[in-house]
Amino acid sequence: AAGLPVVSSRAGGFAHIIEDGTTGLLFEPDDDAALAQAALSLLADPARARRMTRAAFSSAGQYRWEAIYPQWSVVYRGDASPCPVRSA
């Protein structure tokens, strides 16, 4: 939404939102060299950065409140099926 390409670590939920190489660039947490390389690669290739920005902007619509509200309301009302328990 800011009109800039995304560079993020794979920490938290970002790896589920960002499609590496398409809507942004992901690097391993605590890998400063990879962060620098990702940022520099986008600075060196402005056309690629613009493509990623457009792709990210297009995919961001699925996270608009109007798009996610129905899913969240099911969870908050308690109508969602419980998550299966995973065995260790």
Side-chain angles (χ1 to χ4, degrees):
L4 298 171
V6 176
V7 176
S8 175
S9 73
R10 294 183 190 277
F14 294 116
H16 298 287
I17 295 172
I18 299 167
E19 186 179 339
D20 192 24
T22 301
T23 61
L25 295 176
L26 295 170
F27 61 92
E28 295 303 320
D30 299 320
D31 188 344
D32 298 340
L35 166 59
Q37 178 58 40
L40 290 172
S41 73
L42 292 174
L43 289 171
D45 191 350
R48 181 180 184 213
R50 284 190 298 275
R51 284 192 305 273
M52 284 188 182
T53 299
R54 284 192 301 271
F57 188 79
S58 293
S59 73
Q62 66 185 316
Y63 302 105
R64 288 185 350 264
W65 180 245
E66 296 83 12
I68 64 169
Y69 172 76
Q71 298 166 29
W72 277 103
S73 66
V74 167
V75 172
Y76 284 123
R77 284 195 320 257
D79 295 342
S81 299
C83 294
V85 176
R86 293 183 185 174
S87 58

